[in-house]
Amino acid sequence: MNDAFVARAQETLAKDTSVVPEFWQNKYKTEASVNWDKFYNRHTTNFFKDRHWTDREFEELRPGHTFSEQNPVLLEIGCGVGNFIWPVLERNPNLKVFACDFSPRAVGFVKAHEAYSEDRCHAFVCDITKDRLSDTIPPHSVDIVSAIFVFSALPPEKQAQAVKNITEILKPGGRVLFRDYAMYDLAQLRFKPGHKLEDNLYVRQDGTLSYYFTVERLRELFVQHGGMVEQENGYTVKRLVNVKKNIDSERIFAQAKFQAPIDSSAIDEAMAGTRLLDTSDAAQSDGMTMRTD
């Protein structure tokens, strides 16, 4: 992103001064899982393509990597209908996968897939902002957590709780592989007035949320709140060309890797002020198909 592009993007965003009324903000945030369940009811397994690109971006997912030599355990949060799961299982025959989503319908599609087998994959419903992952997965047993286009669906005030949840099941030295929408992404710039809840947080026409990250926000979540070590944290830019729709622009994503420290006490110290709620405690954007997750 050059200075001229950033200046134009800032000018575009500055024009949108309206925000969604507080009642609707709260409704969209509290009904996030419901709206995603409705999304999968409409689109079933037909909306997203399988993510065959993930091993190009994250070497940890390639056969022969250090993690692959140890019969690793991977957790995918926000698994949807399994578009990440099936390619990674096919490439890594020794991998065990846990997969969760807060949409029961999405998890149902994963379990109904012909490749699903409890011997290698266990899918379960979980809202990572309040349901403890450690109720299903043994504490500190996971080598890799994939967080790919999932944190953007969470309200910002609940994202630190989700990080806390992850740290409880991640092994010392385990890694979080992160990719999501970044600030100034084309999808953010195309939102019309009436979709913004707060800075960098928008609601799509179908009621699902979309948050746009900065590297500073990721550092705040995973390093300051999560006590993890930042290995990579930056932006990746992909050019989007669609002659039919007269689109020639750039998609901007935040991509990062964070590692849990070998000394787990560092995580406990960092997370001391972050409370994870118990369950007992009370690209489609603006009408365009913009989701690439």
Side-chain angles (χ1 to χ4, degrees):
M1 295 181 289
N2 57 41
D3 293 342
F5 171 82
V6 172
R8 291 194 301 270
Q10 291 175 338
E11 181 181 359
T12 298
L13 295 180
K15 294 177 181 178
D16 187 4
T17 58
S18 63
V19 294
V20 174
E22 184 177 0
F23 170 83
W24 287 101
Q25 289 189 36
N26 294 330
K27 184 176 177 63
Y28 289 132
K29 290 179 178 182
T30 57
E31 296 182 359
S33 62
V34 174
N35 289 327
W36 274 105
D37 215 46
K38 292 178 179 177
F39 172 88
Y40 289 115
N41 182 46
R42 287 191 299 273
H43 299 287
T44 64
T45 61
N46 299 319
F47 193 88
F48 301 118
K49 297 179 180 179
D50 282 352
R51 295 171 176 168
H52 294 284
W53 52 267
T54 54
D55 62 329
R56 296 195 299 269
E57 301 291 339
F58 300 108
E59 62 181 359
E60 292 84 354
L61 302 177
R62 300 172 192 165
H65 190 274
T66 302
F67 282 98
S68 299
E69 298 172 358
Q70 303 170 354
N71 296 321
V73 176
L74 181 147
L75 165 65
E76 186 192 15
I77 54 176
C79 65
V81 298
N83 300 103
F84 169 86
I85 298 170
W86 315 125
V88 76
L89 281 174
E90 183 178 1
R91 289 193 303 265
N92 298 274
N94 297 323
L95 186 67
K96 167 70 175 181
V97 170
F98 288 94
C100 69
D101 200 287
F102 61 9
S103 165
R105 195 175 302 273
V107 172
F109 282 125
V110 172
K111 291 185 173 182
H113 195 278
E114 60 182 4
Y116 183 79
S117 170
E118 286 284 347
D119 292 338
R120 299 195 60 203
C121 180
H122 177 65
F124 60 103
V125 177
C126 178
D127 181 342
I128 60 172
T129 67
K130 62 181 181 180
D131 303 328
R132 290 189 181 276
L133 290 165
S134 58
D135 288 343
T136 301
I137 304 171
H140 305 301
S141 64
V142 173
D143 297 279
I144 303 171
V145 173
S146 63
I148 300 176
F149 296 109
V150 59
F151 268 79
S152 56
L154 307 177
E157 64 271 19
K158 296 183 178 181
Q159 290 170 359
Q161 295 176 1
V163 172
K164 158 68 174 174
N165 208 352
I166 291 170
T167 64
E168 293 184 348
I169 52 83
L170 196 62
K171 285 182 180 178
R175 297 179 187 177
V176 176
L177 309 180
F178 182 99
R179 181 165 173 151
D180 219 318
Y181 304 112
M183 188 167 65
Y184 308 142
D185 177 50
L186 174 63
Q188 182 184 21
L189 300 180
R190 284 185 175 272
F191 274 112
K192 299 295 190 295
H195 289 264
K196 185 168 73 173
L197 278 68
E198 56 188 79
D199 286 347
N200 294 331
L201 180 65
Y202 298 79
V203 61
R204 302 183 182 96
Q205 288 186 336
D206 60 8
T208 59
L209 300 178
S210 186
Y211 183 83
Y212 296 84
F213 286 90
T214 63
V215 294
E216 292 79 11
R217 173 60 174 168
L218 293 182
R219 190 171 296 122
E220 175 188 358
L221 286 172
F222 289 93
V223 178
Q224 296 179 22
H225 289 295
M228 298 186 190
V229 178
E230 180 181 295
Q231 293 188 315
E232 297 179 13
N233 187 11
Y235 301 108
T236 181
V237 179
K238 304 293 184 182
R239 189 179 180 192
L240 174 65
V241 178
N242 188 319
V243 176
K244 185 176 181 180
K245 294 184 177 181
N246 195 29
I247 296 175
D248 185 354
S249 191
E250 294 178 338
R251 300 304 309 269
I252 305 172
F253 307 114
Q255 186 162 308
K257 296 180 187 180
F258 298 96
Q259 185 171 38
I262 301 301
D263 181 3
S264 60
S265 63
I267 295 180
D268 296 335
E269 181 179 352
M271 297 306 299
T274 303
R275 176 170 171 261
L276 178 65
L277 299 178
D278 291 321
T279 54
S280 58
D281 293 335
Q284 180 174 347
S285 166
D286 193 27
M288 295 184 63
T289 304
M290 295 298 296
R291 286 188 179 99
T292 61
D293 47 335

